[in-house]
Amino acid sequence: MQQEVVLALLAKEPSHGYQLRARLRQALGPLGDAMNDGQIYVTLTRLEKAGQVSSERAAGMPDRPDRKMYALTAHGQQRVASWLAEVSWPKPDLAEFHLKLLAAAAARLADPVAIIDAQRRELLRRLRDAQRAAMAEPDGSEAALLLEGVVLRLQADLRWLEACERSWSGRKART
Amino acid sequence: MTAGTQSMVRARGLRKEYGSQATLVRAVDGVDLDVAPGETLAVMGPSGCGKSTLLHLLGGLDRASAGELWLAGRRIDTMSERGMAALRRDAVGFVFQAFHLMDELTAAENVELPVLLAGRSPRVARRRAGELLERVGLADRARHLPSQLSGGQRQRVAIARALANRPMVVLADEPTGNLDSEATLDVLRLFESLHEAGQTLVIVTHDSRIAATADRLISMRDGAFIDETRLTGGTSGRLGALLDLDG
C-alpha cells in the first residue's frame, strides 16, 4: 500500500490499523480484494521508523501492531500536505506494445493484427469484469466511482487498439 | 452452436447493396450468422461498417438484396409485406439510439400501443404495460410523457415497449449512444436481467462496455464479419488485478 495513502487516512484522527483497513475496503470495494491484510501493518511499521507516524499501545494490551493506535507526527503531516498538492499522474505505458507490433512485423515473427486481436480480447475480459462489478455496486457506493475510472481507461485503450488494427490491417493489405 | 439446436436467428449469404454499377455500395456483404436462443450477441464496428443495416435486415425493417434469413426456424426473407409487418410487430422488439417514443403518449401508453396493435384488449395492454414498466424500474413514471423523463428513463421505456409482445428476439441499435455513464449502467443492468430471463438479444454498438458484457462479440468492417470473440469464461478472476495497488 502506498505510504502517502496510509498517512492521509490518519490525517483525520488517530486510528487502529484495522480501522484503516476497513476504510480502504469501503473505498475500493471489490477492487480491494487483492489487498493483503498484513500490508497495512508493514507500511505503518516503515512509516513509524521514518518518524512520520507514532504509535501508542493501549493499556494492558500486548505489544502487537494490530493493538496499537497510530497517529501522524508533524513530519507525517507535512508529507500528506505536499502529497495533496502534487499533480503526478500515472502515465500510460503504450510504447512497449507499439514497439512489440513493429518488431513482430519487421522480423516477421508474428502477425501484428493477431497480436492486436489477442490484446483486445484480454482488455475486453478486463472491461467485462470491471463492468460487471460496477453493475453490482449499490447506489452511492464509493467504489462505483473508481470502477467507472477503470472502465473509462479500458475503453480508451480499446479505442487505441482499434486504431492500431486499422493501421496494421491497412499495411498488410498494401503489401 | 451445436448441431441439432435451432438458431433463433440464422442468416446465410446475407447481402444488401445500394446504388448500381459505379456507385454500388455493399452495406452488408455476404454475412453468415447464427444466434442461439437466449444468447446476447454484440456486433461492433466503426460507423458505416454496415452494422445498422444488418440489424434492419434481421428485423425485417429492410429487405436484403440477396441471401436467406430465418427467425426461429421460419424463413422470413421470402415473406410478403403483410407477413413482414406482422413479424415486426409480434416477433421482434426494436430498441433505437434515439428512443423513438411517441411524444404525445405517456410512458404506459407507449408500451401499450404495440400490444393494442397486435389485437389484444385494452385491459391486457394495460396490465402488460404495468408489468413491463415495473420490470424496467419505472412503475412510478407510468403517467409521465417522454419529455418529462431523462434519457436513460426514456430508453428503459423503449426497452419495455420492445418487450411488449414477448418478442423472440430484441434488436438494439446503439442503445446507449445517447446516454451518460450512469444511464448506460441502468440499460446494461436491464439487458443483463433480460439475458438471465432467456431473452435473445442482438445489439449493434460501438460502446465497448456493451460488447464486453455480451456472450459473443462480432467485429464488422466494410459490410463483413472480420473477427469473432466468445467472452464467457476465462476472465482474470480477482478484480484487484485491475488496479496496481502496491506502491
Side-chain angles (χ1 to χ4, degrees), chain B residues 186-233:
Chain B
D186 286 337
V187 167
L188 285 175
R189 282 197 190 100
L190 193 47
F191 282 154
E192 183 87 346
S193 78
L194 296 184
H195 183 242
E196 277 162 17
Q199 179 70 54
T200 309
L201 265 168
V202 180
I203 309 167
V204 307
T205 183
H206 57 238
D207 186 338
S208 46
R209 286 169 297 183
I210 296 193
T213 44
D215 295 318
R216 190 158 54 111
L217 167 62
I218 286 177
S219 302
M220 201 170 170
R221 186 78 40 80
D222 300 327
F225 292 169
I226 54 163
D227 186 48
E228 181 175 327
T229 311
R230 196 164 283 281
L231 288 165
T232 36

Side-chain angles (χ1 to χ4, degrees), chain B residues 25-55:
Chain B
V25 176
R26 291 210 168 111
V28 173
D29 194 3
V31 158
D32 294 337
L33 176 69
D34 283 284
V35 186
E39 186 180 18
T40 297
L41 172 75
V43 180
M44 265 192 108
S47 19
C49 73
K51 56 191 194 303
S52 291
T53 306
L54 172 67
L55 202 76

Side-chain angles (χ1 to χ4, degrees), chain B residues 63-78:
Chain B
R63 292 259 186 191
S65 311
E68 297 170 355
L69 191 60
W70 291 263
L71 183 66
R74 242 169 100 206
R75 181 86 182 263
I76 61 171
D77 57 286
T78 50

Side-chain angles (χ1 to χ4, degrees), chain A residues 1-3 28 30-35 39 46 117 120-122 124-139 146-148 150-152 154-155 158 162 165-166 169, chain B residues 44 46 181-182 184-185 188-189 192 195 206-215 217-219 221 226-243 245-247:
Chain A
M1 183 49 56
Q2 206 184 322
Q3 295 191 347
L28 298 174
L31 289 165
D33 67 0
M35 211 171 35
Q39 256 172 311
R46 278 191 196 139
D117 280 342
R120 199 163 136 261
R121 285 194 186 106
E122 170 57 22
L124 279 166
R125 283 195 188 96
R126 289 189 200 177
L127 180 59
R128 177 192 184 86
D129 286 354
Q131 191 61 64
R132 284 188 186 270
M135 279 153 66
E137 282 301 302
D139 283 348
L146 178 61
L147 281 162
E148 185 178 348
V150 172
V151 164
L152 287 168
L154 286 166
Q155 283 186 278
L158 281 162
E162 274 171 33
E165 188 175 338
R166 265 198 305 281
S169 323
Chain B
M44 265 192 108
S181 154
E182 210 163 312
T184 295
L185 217 53
L188 285 175
R189 282 197 190 100
E192 183 87 346
H195 183 242
H206 57 238
D207 186 338
S208 46
R209 286 169 297 183
I210 296 193
T213 44
D215 295 318
L217 167 62
I218 286 177
S219 302
R221 186 78 40 80
I226 54 163
D227 186 48
E228 181 175 327
T229 311
R230 196 164 283 281
L231 288 165
T232 36
T235 51
S236 45
R238 287 167 76 99
L239 277 167
L242 293 169
L243 286 186
L245 282 178
D246 302 314

Side-chain angles (χ1 to χ4, degrees), chain A residues 5-170:
Chain A
V5 172
V6 175
L7 286 172
L9 285 172
L10 285 171
K12 189 183 164 210
E13 59 198 3
S15 306
H16 287 289
Y18 65 83
Q19 290 171 313
L20 300 183
R21 213 174 56 208
R23 189 71 196 84
L24 278 167
R25 288 236 177 270
Q26 188 192 339
L28 298 174
L31 289 165
D33 67 0
M35 211 171 35
N36 179 335
D37 281 355
Q39 256 172 311
I40 199 143
Y41 293 108
V42 172
T43 308
L44 282 167
T45 308
R46 278 191 196 139
L47 288 168
E48 193 171 6
K49 274 189 193 137
Q52 293 166 13
V53 153
S54 62
S55 71
E56 201 172 291
R57 181 153 49 112
M61 289 292 188
D63 186 15
R64 278 170 31 196
D66 57 342
R67 303 288 178 178
K68 286 181 184 171
M69 183 76 110
Y70 294 88
L72 278 188
T73 63
H75 185 189
Q77 248 152 13
Q78 259 169 26
R79 191 165 168 203
V80 170
S82 60
W83 181 59
L84 292 176
E86 242 177 54
V87 290
S88 70
W89 193 257
K91 297 181 183 107
D93 186 10
L94 303 175
E96 183 195 337
F97 187 73
H98 178 65
L99 295 172
K100 185 192 274 191
L101 296 179
L102 285 169
R108 298 190 182 278
L109 282 169
D111 177 3
V113 175
I115 293 177
I116 295 164
D117 280 342
Q119 197 63 57
R120 199 163 136 261
R121 285 194 186 106
E122 170 57 22
L123 292 198
L124 279 166
R125 283 195 188 96
R126 289 189 200 177
L127 180 59
R128 177 192 184 86
D129 286 354
Q131 191 61 64
R132 284 188 186 270
M135 279 153 66
E137 282 301 302
D139 283 348
S141 121
E142 286 179 351
L145 186 59
L146 178 61
L147 281 162
E148 185 178 348
V150 172
V151 164
L152 287 168
R153 283 213 133 193
L154 286 166
Q155 283 186 278
D157 287 339
L158 281 162
R159 285 178 63 184
W160 182 58
L161 287 181
E162 274 171 33
C164 290
E165 188 175 338
R166 265 198 305 281
S167 167
W168 282 100
S169 323

